[in-house]
Amino acid sequence: MEQGLEVVLTDLQSSQNNVRHHTDEISSDRLLVRRGQSFNLTLYFRSRGFQPDLDNIIFVVETGPLPDLSNGTRALFSLTGRHGPSPWIASLETNGASSMEVSLCAPPVAPVGRYLLKVHIDSFQRSVTAYQLGEFILLFNPWCPDDSVYLDSEPQRQEYVVNDYGFIYQGNKNWIRPCPWNYGQFEENIIDICLELLDKSLNFQIDPATDCALRASPVYLSRVVCAMINSNDDNGVLNGNWSENYLDGVNPAEWTGSVAILKQWHAAGCQPVRYGQCWVFAAIMCTVMRCLGIPTRVITNFDSGHDTDGNLIIDEYYDSTGRILENKKKDSVWNFHVWNECWMARKDLPPGYGGWQVLDATPQETSNGLYCCGPASVRAIKEGEVELNYDTAFAFSMVNADCMSWLVYGGKEQKIHRDTNTVGNFISTKSIQSDERDDITENYKYIEGSPQERQVFLKALQKLKAGRSEDPHQADSQYSTPEPRSGDGLRGLHTPSLRPSDVVQVSLKFQLLDPPHMGQDIRFVLLALNMSLQFKDLKVNLSAQSLLHDGSPLPPFWQDTAFITLSPEEAKTHSCRIPYSQYSQYLSTDKLIRISALGEEKSSPEKILVDKIITLAYPGIIINVLGAAVVNQPLSIQVLFSNPLSEYVEDCVLTMEGSGLFKKQQRVLIGVLKPQHRASITLETVPFKSGQRQIQANLRSNKFKDIKGYKNVYVDLML
């Protein structure tokens, strides 16, 4: 009697499949495939081979705790098609005497996640025998034209999915600094941590069956991940902290990569890691989304608006000395803010709004009750379509809100000036397959001051005002021609009773005399220019205060008063110096100092405000690779660093990492560094992945936290 077909062994062909599915960097031992693309496996049988006329082989795939045919988390499909139609496909590749190779393909709309693969064999229409063949992980597929994350450029796919390092831009619009970052999305256990993150979400906890089914949608999944990166609503990855007190955690400026953070979150039983700020939230989200297969990049917006009341106006308050005050409404202009763009189709929106979508994991405002933001179509932001899902109005305000300046004196607030150009400058991301910076501001808005830009602003404002109650300041929200600006391009303050033709008579401007280096005095001049044909007597109050990168001011630590008499059409300078000994103890981690001057003419109510933001620079770490980098061969790395200060620094720690180069983050205790002392150490590592790699380094001490350095390294497979 003919025996039934019995499976004795399964070869999932993980190594070969993973190469074809661009997942071989994650593993060669586990099967990781992308939807919409076939993968092969071999079944070995005990005593005979597969006979199509006798054997009916039905494959079963299941994902999630409650797999169900109706919601797409379970599927049954056969080689012969006798089991009925299914979006999953199985086909016979080769049929041997005691084995067969089959090709399976997940539909491009299948939920992503961890799957169990089974087979049911019915021979001679007897009772069905079931076998468990193994597990595999299914990911989004930007290489598949039918996948909603399809990206049709191979260089872009390599940059936004495959590349595991990059730069996050920081500083200010006049001094843009690349911060190296190790995304490490293909490092050991990161894929498992990403899937664990999905399972820890509130959505999964409340309704796991629906959540797993909806993981087919990058729109849905991106919102889940966005909420899970911060910990405001759940046991997300990171606690945010903007207090400057990080004693019970890590100063956000010290991190150089995502891997250490994600592994710490996992090792601590999914308890939030302390601490993160916007660039850390965005970097972690980039790691998770690239790992899951969604093209993602990190975006920095300089002078980024945070509009808390949704009127597209950022209100800023100043006292009579020009000092910026704590904002009672919590509106602010962040010196820079960092978010993500993810590439996906938007079938939930009108045609034309797919492509890059803004997602912001920094917990600023809630969206449908959770701290997440997006996905908001970048094109919708540019066109002012602020009613489109999700959180497009908030994203619009980050790049294109107007700034309103208010002078606070005698318990009163006086509207001084409206600036249409301050918010949203030099929107930046890393170039494709290059270490250069791409300016993508034009993706977000039309040229400042152009008719199109103002038309879009007015359209957005009208859409937001529909059905909204009047705000006390919103009566001023109708656009009018702004007064001419003076100073350093930030804002000029003039009393509204004066006509524009009267007010531009005196301008003030700051000019640095030396590059602003940490540890050195800050030398600058205030340039006063009389553009009128009358004498001008000015009193100018000057001050300096530290800022956090989110725009929060710290108390002033330096003040000065200048009396300047100007002849008609005369220019004069007033020299200023802020000693290191005076600013060092007041400096925030962000190393931002705002100098300001508020000038007033004795015989006129005219007031002129000028301010300038200075970012103090450190000398970077220099990294030298000593010899050729080859997989599985020892590699020596020399690291040169220095103490830039004229004082001893203590508790110095050097950290280094790099995907494919170091198995884990390296920490070297340096101890004490003498004033202006230069030091060098040499480390040895054994690269374990080939191709283009990057080393990231950070030096911290009790006086500074984020002296950075990086080195690109190409690792060969063999000499």
Side-chain angles (χ1 to χ4, degrees):
M1 181 178 178
E2 190 78 35
Q3 290 184 327
L5 196 62
E6 184 179 350
V7 177
V8 294
L9 184 67
T10 305
D11 179 7
L12 297 179
Q13 300 186 26
S14 299
S15 179
Q16 304 97 304
N17 284 320
N18 289 2
V19 169
R20 292 198 300 270
H21 286 252
H22 309 279
T23 60
D24 52 309
E25 284 260 336
I26 302 176
S27 175
S28 59
D29 303 322
R30 304 163 61 192
L31 182 60
L32 300 108
V33 295
R34 300 186 186 276
R35 59 190 197 173
Q37 181 177 343
S38 63
F39 59 97
N40 291 2
L41 55 92
T42 304
L43 301 180
Y44 294 92
F45 307 110
R46 183 172 298 280
S47 57
R48 67 174 179 86
F50 168 65
Q51 298 179 33
D53 295 336
L54 299 178
D55 305 313
N56 185 25
I57 295 182
I58 301 169
F59 291 95
V60 182
V61 291
E62 298 175 340
T63 185
L66 300 167
D68 187 270
L69 283 171
S70 63
N71 65 17
T73 53
R74 187 171 193 260
L76 286 78
F77 52 106
S78 69
L79 276 174
T80 59
R82 278 182 271 173
H83 192 74
S86 170
W88 288 72
I89 299 171
S91 57
L92 181 63
E93 295 292 308
T94 59
N95 192 13
S98 59
S99 67
M100 63 182 290
E101 184 177 20
V102 297
S103 171
L104 307 183
C105 186
V109 293
V112 300
R114 198 184 306 275
Y115 277 78
L116 188 62
L117 176 62
K118 305 175 186 178
V119 67
H120 295 172
I121 299 179
D122 177 8
S123 298
F124 318 112
Q125 297 183 346
R126 295 177 182 173
S127 60
V128 175
T129 307
Y131 300 91
Q132 186 167 307
L133 303 183
E135 290 186 352
F136 65 94
I137 292 173
L138 186 67
L139 302 174
F140 290 101
N141 192 353
W143 284 266
C144 173
D146 294 324
D147 197 304
S148 52
V149 302
Y150 174 63
L151 191 57
D152 65 359
S153 162
E154 181 61 20
Q156 289 189 42
R157 291 191 292 255
Q158 289 297 317
E159 182 65 51
Y160 302 134
V161 180
V162 177
N163 197 4
D164 59 9
Y165 66 87
F167 299 101
I168 302 172
Y169 295 96
Q170 299 180 357
N172 66 66
K173 67 180 179 184
N174 299 314
W175 186 75
I176 297 175
R177 176 177 75 114
C179 175
W181 195 271
N182 176 29
Y183 297 118
Q185 68 267 31
F186 302 137
E187 288 298 280
E188 187 177 13
N189 298 329
I190 293 301
I191 180 62
D192 301 294
I193 295 172
C194 292
L195 296 176
E196 182 179 31
L197 182 147
L198 297 180
D199 289 348
K200 293 297 181 182
S201 72
L202 291 178
N203 303 57
F204 182 86
Q205 302 298 320
I206 294 169
D207 187 351
T210 301
D211 175 71
C212 287
L214 289 174
R215 291 179 188 177
S217 164
V219 174
Y220 172 83
L221 185 135
S222 65
R223 282 182 65 77
V224 171
V225 172
C226 191
M228 278 300 297
I229 299 300
N230 66 69
S231 60
N232 288 45
D233 309 295
D234 41 46
N235 284 334
V237 177
L238 278 166
N239 272 341
N241 187 341
W242 288 264
S243 72
E244 291 289 290
N245 179 8
Y246 311 111
L247 292 177
D248 58 345
V250 175
N251 187 315
E254 295 180 31
W255 298 113
T256 53
S258 305
V259 176
I261 296 171
L262 287 166
K263 288 189 173 182
Q264 183 178 327
W265 177 76
H266 167 75
C270 304
Q271 293 301 304
V273 176
R274 300 170 178 168
Y275 288 105
Q277 290 183 8
C278 66
W279 67 93
V280 190
F281 290 112
I284 297 293
M285 180 140 187
C286 183
T287 295
V288 174
M289 299 301 271
R290 286 186 183 181
C291 186
L292 296 174
I294 299 177
T296 303
R297 59 189 187 182
V298 177
I299 309 297
T300 301
N301 179 36
F302 292 94
D303 300 327
S304 188
H306 182 184
D307 173 25
T308 58
D309 51 11
N311 64 351
L312 301 187
I313 302 292
I314 308 295
D315 295 293
E316 294 187 318
Y317 299 88
Y318 298 84
D319 68 10
S320 59
T321 68
R323 174 172 66 105
I324 193 168
L325 302 174
E326 189 72 42
N327 194 318
K328 61 186 179 182
K329 288 175 55 186
K330 302 303 180 183
D331 279 5
S332 57
V333 177
W334 295 39
N335 211 50
F336 68 89
H337 182 50
V338 184
W339 59 72
N340 298 100
E341 285 179 3
C342 297
W343 182 272
M344 63 189 73
R346 291 299 302 270
K347 296 177 182 177
D348 57 319
L349 300 182
Y353 292 102
W356 290 117
Q357 311 288 316
V358 167
L359 284 136
D360 189 350
T362 300
Q364 297 182 83
E365 305 293 331
T366 58
S367 173
N368 292 344
L370 294 178
Y371 277 95
C372 67
C373 177
S377 164
V378 172
R379 179 166 178 252
I381 295 168
K382 182 171 184 175
E383 300 300 335
E385 303 294 348
V386 294
E387 80 283 6
L388 297 181
N389 285 339
Y390 291 88
D391 311 304
T392 307
F394 186 76
F396 182 92
S397 72
M398 290 196 293
V399 300
N400 213 9
D402 285 357
C403 269
M404 192 81 77
S405 300
W406 300 81
L407 187 63
V408 179
Y409 63 98
K412 298 180 180 179
E413 298 174 5
Q414 179 185 6
K415 187 181 81 170
I416 300 300
H417 177 66
R418 178 169 179 157
D419 192 330
T420 66
N421 301 329
T422 294
V423 169
N425 291 292
F426 299 103
I427 302 175
S428 302
T429 193
K430 178 185 176 296
S431 294
I432 297 170
Q433 297 180 323
S434 161
D435 288 351
E436 299 302 310
R437 180 184 68 89
D438 265 357
D439 190 307
I440 58 169
T441 308
E442 66 177 9
N443 293 358
Y444 281 85
K445 58 183 180 179
Y446 293 97
I447 296 172
E448 285 287 1
S450 68
Q452 299 102 312
E453 186 269 336
R454 281 294 96 185
Q455 289 167 8
V456 167
F457 181 89
L458 284 173
K459 177 170 75 171
L461 191 60
Q462 292 302 319
K463 286 175 180 284
L464 289 174
K465 288 182 68 177
R468 175 168 291 172
S469 60
E470 193 72 16
D471 180 87
H473 289 156
Q474 211 159 337
D476 298 307
S477 292
Q478 296 300 319
Y479 172 71
S480 58
T481 304
E483 295 97 336
R485 302 187 302 160
S486 65
D488 274 325
L490 290 177
R491 56 191 63 79
L493 300 186
H494 308 284
T495 55
S497 60
L498 297 178
R499 300 189 307 276
S501 59
D502 294 328
V503 297
V504 189
Q505 298 190 359
V506 176
S507 74
L508 298 176
K509 183 176 182 179
F510 283 119
Q511 184 175 344
L512 289 171
L513 297 178
D514 308 298
H517 289 301
M518 177 62 72
Q520 299 179 6
D521 295 351
I522 302 171
R523 299 193 313 127
F524 59 95
V525 296
L526 176 69
L527 176 64
L529 174 62
N530 179 9
M531 293 175 282
S532 74
L533 299 178
Q534 292 84 36
F535 283 89
K536 298 288 183 181
D537 287 319
L538 297 180
K539 177 186 176 183
V540 184
N541 292 319
L542 299 103
S543 66
Q545 61 191 131
S546 287
L547 292 180
L548 305 184
H549 93 272
D550 67 356
S552 301
L554 300 180
F557 55 79
W558 174 87
Q559 290 181 316
D560 189 16
T561 302
F563 296 93
I564 304 173
T565 299
L566 294 170
S567 301
E569 299 182 332
E570 183 184 17
K572 283 186 177 179
T573 60
H574 175 74
S575 298
C576 303
R577 177 192 295 265
I578 306 176
Y580 169 71
S581 59
Q582 187 166 0
Y583 72 74
S584 61
Q585 57 188 314
Y586 297 100
L587 203 58
S588 71
T589 303
D590 301 295
K591 305 178 294 297
L592 298 172
I593 292 177
R594 176 185 178 272
I595 53 175
S596 63
L598 184 67
E600 54 184 324
E601 191 185 348
K602 291 181 179 178
S603 60
S604 168
E606 178 182 345
K607 289 182 174 63
I608 308 165
L609 173 72
V610 60
D611 58 8
K612 187 178 187 70
I613 294 176
I614 299 169
T615 303
L616 293 159
Y618 289 123
I621 296 172
I622 298 173
I623 302 171
N624 295 317
V625 176
L626 308 179
V630 182
V631 170
N632 296 327
Q633 298 294 317
L635 177 67
S636 294
I637 299 167
Q638 181 190 49
V639 186
L640 300 140
F641 52 92
S642 63
N643 172 14
L645 307 181
S646 301
E647 58 183 315
Y648 283 87
V649 295
E650 302 172 352
D651 306 323
C652 296
V653 178
L654 178 71
T655 57
M656 294 181 64
E657 62 182 294
S659 289
L661 297 169
F662 300 97
K663 288 286 188 181
K664 62 179 182 179
Q665 188 183 68
Q666 306 294 301
R667 290 170 56 87
V668 182
L669 302 179
I670 306 297
V672 177
L673 281 176
K674 297 177 182 178
Q676 305 288 329
H677 180 67
R678 297 179 180 272
S680 170
I681 63 167
T682 301
L683 300 175
E684 189 172 276
T685 189
V686 179
F688 55 95
K689 289 184 179 181
S690 63
Q692 190 68 47
R693 304 289 161 189
Q694 188 184 79
I695 302 168
Q696 301 90 13
N698 184 75
L699 179 67
R700 70 167 174 86
S701 74
N702 64 328
K703 296 290 185 181
F704 47 75
K705 302 299 178 186
D706 62 337
I707 294 183
K708 306 285 186 187
Y710 73 93
K711 181 73 172 181
N712 292 340
V713 182
Y714 190 85
V715 181
D716 289 307
L717 272 173
M718 60 186 68
L719 283 172

